[in-house]
Structures are given as structure tokens and as C-alpha cells.
Amino acid sequence: MSFDRRAVVIGGIGALAAPFIVRAQGTLERKDVKLGVGGKALLYYLPLTIAERRGYFKEQGLNVEINDFGGGSQSLQALVGGSVDVVTGAYEHTIRMQARGQDIRAVTELGRFPGIVLAVRASLADKVKKPGDLKGMKIGVTAPGSSTNFFANFLLARDGVQPEDVSFIGVGGGASAVAAMRQGGIDAISHLEPVITRLELDKAISVLADTRSEEGTRAIFGGANPAAVVYLRQDFAQKNPNTTQAIVNAFYKALKWLEKATPDAVSATVPEEFYLGDKELYLEAVRKSLSMYSRSGIVSEAGMASARDMLVPFDKELKAASFDLKRTFDSTFIEKAPGIVKL
């Protein structure tokens, strides 16, 4: 497995001089692929919808069936159980699975910082000034065991609060999350766009921690912290190398499209139901999120370490485990994606 940090994207005139997309070399071992995602409408997973709606999977000869679950932990369970072949989910899941001796690896980075926000109900803002003040309260997350849950756990642990000191409630990925806060079912929320912008515009929340920007991410983690990735079982990649390459090619093309896309172009591509009933809201959420998508598709070694260090303070199993962190990301396929060159 190679980790050449000098991989760069062709830009400018050179990129225009040759067709961007080429199919994976060789015959696809499998054209039909089942993919799991936990909250497809969330901007965290936007590259998936772009690859789907702009036909990048079909360009690669793939028929991708997307299974949308309530949260990332459920997508992971589907992969382990064999009901899906590949997942778009949080990079942290690969770390936890490697620690358990299961060879699940990321093959493409989709998000270079998390885009997760921890916020408290506006009516509690005078009482809750930092994550540790949430002790004893109910915190909404996409699903227990998902990246939104991990993020909240990390912030709580920094303030000396353990996961069992709060109640985590799965609120799903869209309108149900907004409703949970509006209806008083939760005291705080750890969530993603466009849910957070909807609640901000409603003046329903007060933000405690924000990783929607590189600046905010560095303030919390001290550096890079990878977010969504494409991950799968290593034996799938070994048995289906051309299919895996085709999947990576499609996602990489989606990342390069997003690098230059405008909010209007994004909103014109996704289904209207992603808007949460308000197109202007969605456009604002996209504006806040476009910078978070990966430019290279590569998870850096510093990012791997940052993600591990986020989990260790509250994950006793991981703290005691011994494993090779580099096995969480296989760069073989992204380094062969069209548009990548080595200097």
C-alpha cells in the first residue's frame, strides 16, 4: 500500500487537454454494487449524490443501488452483515473495525474536515457555555455510534464528561432532526448541514463547537481530521479490483466537480426533497459546506492520527487495542484515478 503525499491533481490547461474520465482498466468483476449511506440528504454525503445524479457511476459501467439508513453506524452494520458491498461513511469506523480485527479500509476520502456542529437549545444557552455543561442532558445525533455521536463524545471527554453521563438519542438525518429540537425532545444536537442552518435560521440553537470550516476544525483538533470516506472490506477490493477502481473513479470525478461548483449548480443537481422545504436555506447550507470536500481523495497520515486521537479518550476498547493505523486507508485506487499524477 502506497502513501505518496506528493500526489496532486492536474489543473489548468493540462487538465483540459485530455478527457477527464476513463473507465477502470479491465473488465468489471461486478457491475451491480450495493452501497450503504446513513443520511443521504446530508451535505456530509453530497459527493455520493453528485456521482449518482450526474451519471458518474454509469460512466464507469456500474449499477449502484443506494441503501439509505438512519445513521452511519447502521451502514457499517449492513457492510459487516453482507447486505451492502461498500459504504460512504465516517472514516472513524475503519479505525474501530481495524481495532476489532476486521479488515475494513477506506479507499477514498470525501470530506477533509467533519462539518459537524454541536449546539445547545437556545433557551439553555445561558446555562450551557461549553460541552461539559451538557452533563445529564439529552443530545440528538444521527444515530448512536455514528460520527455525530463520536464528535460529541470527544468534546464531552475533553471536559471530563463520559458518554454514560448524557443520553444520546438518534434523530435521523433530515426533517426528523429539526423536529426533535423544535418539539423539545432533545436539549442539544450534534449534527450536520442542512439541519444546522435550518436550526440557526430558526434561532433555535446556540453553537458550542463548529467544524464546518478548516479554521474551526483546526481550533478543535489542532489539524486535519478526515470525515466521510468510501470504505469496504479489503477482501472485496482484492476480489474485485476493477470494480473498486470504477467506484473510486466515479467518486473522484464528483469531488473534482464539487471543487468548482456553485451552490446554484449543486441545488440544481440534488433532489428537491433535500432542501428541507426551503431552497434558499439549502443554498446557504451549501455555501457553508463547499470548502469541506476533499481535494485529493487521500487521507493523510496526520489525519489518520487525529481521528484516532479523537476516539481514544472515550473508547476504552480502542485505547487497549493494538493495530496498524495505516491499514485503515488503502491509497492504491485513488492514486490511479484519472487526473492524479505523481511529481
Side-chain angles (χ1 to χ4, degrees):
M1 182 171 56
S2 169
F3 286 94
D4 190 340
R5 293 294 151 240
R6 297 173 296 169
V8 298
V9 180
I10 296 175
I13 295 174
L16 299 176
F20 179 88
I21 194 71
V22 295
R23 289 195 179 187
Q25 293 183 352
T27 303
L28 296 182
E29 301 85 5
R30 297 177 57 173
K31 293 184 178 180
D32 297 325
V33 174
K34 293 183 179 180
L35 183 149
V37 60
K40 184 169 177 263
L42 295 169
L43 287 170
Y44 189 83
Y45 297 117
L46 180 59
L48 169 60
T49 298
I50 298 302
E52 174 199 24
R53 302 279 287 193
R54 294 189 64 82
Y56 299 158
F57 292 129
K58 291 188 180 298
E59 283 181 353
Q60 293 292 324
L62 296 167
N63 299 314
V64 177
E65 176 188 318
I66 299 173
N67 296 267
D68 194 4
F69 299 95
S73 57
Q74 296 167 11
S75 299
L76 173 63
Q77 290 169 6
L79 181 70
V80 172
S83 60
V84 300
D85 306 304
V86 60
V87 168
T88 52
Y91 167 68
E92 293 91 349
H93 290 304
T94 68
I95 297 177
R96 299 185 89 210
M97 297 311 289
Q98 286 288 339
R100 294 175 182 177
Q102 297 197 40
D103 201 359
I104 291 176
R105 307 188 191 190
V107 289
T108 311
E109 180 187 68
L110 302 180
R112 55 184 181 151
F113 37 89
I116 305 174
V117 172
L118 177 66
V120 66
R121 176 184 302 283
S123 61
L124 296 173
D126 289 341
K127 178 180 178 181
V128 178
K129 300 295 186 181
K130 62 183 186 301
D133 295 335
L134 294 171
K135 186 174 182 179
M137 296 188 183
K138 294 178 289 186
I139 304 175
V141 295
T142 52
S146 296
S147 59
T148 50
N149 196 162
F150 296 156
F151 180 66
N153 279 341
F154 170 72
L155 294 172
L156 290 167
R158 289 203 312 185
D159 286 347
V161 178
Q162 294 304 305
E164 57 270 23
D165 295 330
V166 299
S167 297
F168 285 107
I169 299 174
V171 295
S176 59
V178 175
M181 180 59 77
R182 286 176 173 171
Q183 296 168 8
I186 52 178
D187 303 304
I189 190 166
S190 179
H191 221 283
L192 298 146
E193 294 289 8
V195 169
I196 293 299
T197 289
R198 174 72 278 165
L199 294 172
E200 285 181 316
L201 292 176
D202 290 347
K203 301 186 185 307
I205 56 173
S206 176
V207 172
L208 299 174
D210 190 342
T211 63
R212 288 175 290 183
S213 68
E214 183 172 2
E215 180 182 9
T217 299
R218 289 189 178 278
I220 293 171
F221 297 109
N225 190 273
V229 296
V230 178
Y231 67 77
L232 40 68
R233 291 189 301 271
Q234 184 65 4
D235 61 357
F236 178 92
Q238 291 172 341
K239 294 175 183 176
N240 305 282
N242 295 330
T243 299
T244 302
Q245 186 66 60
I247 293 168
V248 170
N249 288 353
F251 274 106
Y252 185 69
K253 188 171 183 181
L255 290 175
K256 300 323 290 178
W257 186 85
L258 281 167
E259 193 171 330
K260 298 180 179 179
T262 63
D264 284 327
V266 171
S267 68
T269 303
V270 306
E272 288 188 10
E273 55 263 32
F274 283 18
Y275 299 169
L276 289 182
D278 187 335
K279 184 176 180 180
E280 289 305 313
L281 152 76
Y282 189 78
L283 287 169
E284 179 61 21
V286 172
R287 290 187 192 100
K288 294 176 180 177
S289 302
L290 279 176
S291 64
M292 79 181 189
Y293 301 109
S294 180
R295 300 296 188 252
S296 67
I298 294 174
V299 180
S300 70
E301 292 183 15
M304 295 179 200
S306 176
R308 177 200 59 204
D309 293 344
M310 179 185 76
L311 295 172
V312 167
F314 63 84
D315 193 321
K316 296 177 182 178
E317 178 185 0
L318 185 61
K319 187 181 298 185
S322 177
F323 64 98
D324 183 357
L325 188 60
K326 290 183 178 180
R327 289 173 64 89
T328 61
F329 176 60
D330 183 349
S331 66
T332 303
F333 300 98
I334 190 61
E335 290 181 350
K336 295 177 182 177
I340 290 283
V341 295
K342 306 283 184 63
L343 296 180

